[in-house]
Amino acid sequence: MHMAHFGELGLHYSVTGPEDGTPVVFANSLGTDFRLWDKILPLLPAGLRILRFDKRGHGLSDVPQGPYSMGALITDTERLMEHTGFRNSIFIGLSIGGLIAQGLAAKRLDLVRAMVLSNTGAKIGTRDMWADRIKAVNEGGLEAVVGPTMDRWFSKPFQADPEFPAWRNMFLRTPAMGWTGCGAAIAGTDFISSTSGLRLPTLAIAGSEDGSTPPDLVFETADLVPGSEKRLIRNAGHLPCVEQPREYAEILTAFLRAQGAA
Ligand SMILES: O=C(O)CC1=CCC(=O)O1
């Protein structure tokens, strides 16, 4: 278990793999911690140096007073990558993690040499949509939004899987301040213009049943970066790394190998 401290903020992270391995960073979504990637890590090639982390307000990281800005989330990631020696990395971001990927690539191409935009967009939802959700959570906690959230995250068949309640618990145990803080950061983010200027190897992954960032949004975002690859995973919602880990890992492995990873 590792904590890095940047002023008042402690960030919980994990680094695994050989010191000289290809650096790969995973950034997870709103309402999840870095266990989001547990099922796919054993399916990836050996020889990767992997950084996972709980963004502020999530998992075992500290929960500063919100709202947060996307700039702060990007700076946290930048500091953690410098602290752990992750430069020239392949950055895999899911949902808000994909927004962080785009913002970081626009700012620090020395840290990000290729990116995977999984279940994300250059702009996710509208200000009004996020304001309504934040109001609901401020009034009733995450319980107030758990039903529709699980319907966006997971296909109907997976909601009957014995594993499903654990993911629901992960969401419900997210600090309300962490969720609303990051929700405000998403509400204020529109990367359409800056992502259009990006030139780096990019893979976009969508889930056919994703109610949070539907395939059209994911692929429109990919089209902003010339030469992007696009993959659709069927029978999966917003978190295909959970619902279809084998297919997700195969797609990632092919991209990682194309970037020269082990
Ligand atoms: O709650 C959702 O719909 C999922 C989500 C949107 C942005 C993100 O990171 O997760």
Side-chain angles (χ1 to χ4, degrees):
M1 183 159 325
H2 298 287
M3 278 302 259
H5 297 275
F6 306 108
E8 300 272 284
L9 178 71
L11 289 179
H12 175 233
Y13 71 95
S14 154
V15 174
T16 52
E19 269 181 36
D20 61 351
T22 303
V24 180
V25 183
F26 285 87
N28 44 284
S29 54
L30 182 66
T32 65
D33 62 48
F34 72 57
R35 288 173 291 182
L36 182 68
W37 308 106
D38 277 358
K39 289 165 83 169
I40 62 145
L41 255 48
L43 305 174
L44 296 178
L48 303 176
R49 179 88 166 158
I50 292 177
L51 169 63
R52 295 182 292 163
F53 64 100
D54 293 334
K55 65 190 153 294
R56 59 169 68 200
H58 284 69
L60 302 185
S61 289
D62 288 344
V63 187
Q65 179 71 35
Y68 313 145
S69 67
M70 187 55 63
L73 295 172
I74 290 166
T75 301
D76 293 347
T77 310
E78 201 177 345
R79 287 182 173 152
L80 185 62
M81 288 175 73
E82 281 174 345
H83 176 78
T84 50
F86 276 72
R87 293 199 167 71
N88 209 26
S89 304
I90 302 170
F91 197 102
I92 299 163
L94 193 150
S95 203
I96 188 173
L99 287 170
I100 293 170
Q102 293 167 68
L104 194 60
K107 191 176 175 189
R108 294 289 304 270
L109 270 182
D110 60 318
L111 297 183
V112 181
R113 72 174 166 97
M115 64 180 177
V116 178
L117 301 179
S118 177
N119 304 80
T120 192
K123 179 179 185 307
I124 302 177
T126 62
R127 278 187 186 275
D128 284 353
M129 186 195 90
W130 286 105
D132 288 348
R133 290 184 190 173
I134 289 168
K135 183 168 180 284
V137 171
N138 282 337
E139 288 170 359
L142 288 178
E143 281 284 357
V145 297
V146 67
T149 301
M150 292 301 107
D151 284 341
R152 291 193 298 272
W153 282 16
F154 296 113
S155 67
K156 281 288 172 210
F158 190 82
Q159 292 185 39
D161 192 288
E163 195 186 296
F164 168 73
W167 295 102
R168 190 175 182 279
N169 285 344
M170 183 185 280
F171 175 76
L172 286 173
R173 289 173 195 177
T174 304
M177 177 67 75
W179 192 94
T180 57
C182 287
I186 298 170
T189 300
D190 179 344
F191 280 152
I192 293 173
S193 163
S194 60
T195 296
S196 302
L198 293 178
R199 298 292 178 267
L200 75 167
T202 299
L203 163 68
I205 303 176
S208 62
E209 315 304 313
D210 187 346
S212 301
T213 50
D216 281 358
L217 172 67
V218 180
F219 295 151
E220 275 166 23
T221 301
D223 285 340
L224 298 175
V225 187
S228 298
E229 292 174 47
K230 297 175 224 166
R231 297 283 180 276
L232 177 68
I233 300 185
R234 298 195 184 279
N235 304 315
H238 191 51
L239 308 178
C241 50
V242 171
E243 281 198 64
Q244 303 295 343
R246 287 199 177 279
E247 189 175 347
Y248 196 89
E250 275 168 23
I251 292 169
L252 279 191
T253 298
F255 183 72
L256 291 167
R257 290 221 160 102
Q259 306 315 312

